[in-house]
Amino acid sequence: MFVGLDCSKRLNMEGRRNYCMASTYDENCCLHYTETCQIASTNININSGPVCKMMRKSLDIFLKKRGFLPEYIFLYRSCVSDSEKLDILVQEALKLKVFLSGNGQDAYKIDYKAKLCYMIVNKQTDMKFFEVRSEKHYENPAPGMVIDNNVVNTNIYEFYIQPQFVNAGSDSPTNYHVIFDEINVPPEILEEVTYKLSYYYFNWDGAIRIPS
């Protein structure tokens, strides 16, 4: 199952922030269930309660539609700054791990265990990549370009993907930081799947900058 998770930075009229989750429940990743909830403005961007609550409903829908529960869950988390990553790991990823562990009162179901891959998505990056056509001629890279060595932080699991073709100005790639991974999919497979998910945005036949 593929899951997208986001949290608004701005407050609504009631002074609260919105959490939004979308999860797939068909084998082709074309059908999805969406859920939203609100959190107090004091819990800025980090609150495991709503995440586990929305994940429970997503799993209920998956079970209802498919007749079984997913063995693997890939979660893409947006709107996270570098300073919040550690808190996100502790307050969301690790608590989701407990929720999906099949043990204890905080688990979704006793004896049901799913493996989790939790990724942070950041499209606001300063990186720029170009293809060298000649000594003085540089172009934006072709769609699907992946950078996972040399310029990435070797102390963490991260990579860049350039999903779109841009013919005006220079484009910025999207950064993916895997902060928790129990699935251990080979990097080239995870990168390919992530790139293909950028083509799933409705009413648009091209790629967008993030998985959709």
Side-chain angles (χ1 to χ4, degrees), residues 117-120 156-159 176-181 190:
C117 179
Y118 196 109
M119 290 166 279
I120 291 178
I156 62 176
Y157 183 3
E158 73 167 347
F159 56 91
Y176 296 87
H177 180 187
V178 182
I179 63 171
F180 181 81
D181 185 18
L190 181 61

Side-chain angles (χ1 to χ4, degrees), residues 72-133:
Y72 305 109
I73 297 175
F74 295 86
L75 191 149
Y76 295 89
R77 174 66 154 91
S78 185
C79 283
V80 178
S81 66
D82 288 339
S83 62
E84 294 172 322
K85 286 183 178 180
L86 179 59
D87 290 327
I88 289 292
L89 172 64
V90 173
Q91 297 296 329
E92 289 186 5
L94 295 182
K95 289 190 177 181
L96 271 177
K97 178 187 180 240
V98 174
F99 179 74
L100 300 169
S101 67
N103 295 313
Q105 61 181 5
D106 295 328
Y108 171 67
K109 288 182 181 293
I110 300 300
D111 296 331
Y112 165 67
K113 183 177 181 179
K115 292 184 177 181
L116 175 68
C117 179
Y118 196 109
M119 290 166 279
I120 291 178
V121 184
N122 181 16
K123 61 181 181 179
Q124 305 297 331
T125 65
D126 295 327
M127 283 289 188
K128 301 287 183 182
F129 299 109
F130 301 93
E131 290 186 5
V132 180
R133 297 300 183 183

Side-chain angles (χ1 to χ4, degrees), residues 1 23-26 31-35 54-70 108-109:
M1 181 170 76
S23 59
T24 62
Y25 59 80
D26 71 314
L31 302 176
H32 63 274
Y33 168 76
T34 58
E35 180 72 21
M54 292 187 293
M55 182 63 75
R56 178 180 295 277
K57 292 186 177 180
S58 295
L59 290 171
D60 287 343
I61 293 295
F62 192 102
L63 179 61
K64 179 180 179 181
K65 298 292 185 180
R66 303 290 298 276
F68 61 91
L69 289 166
Y108 171 67
K109 288 182 181 293

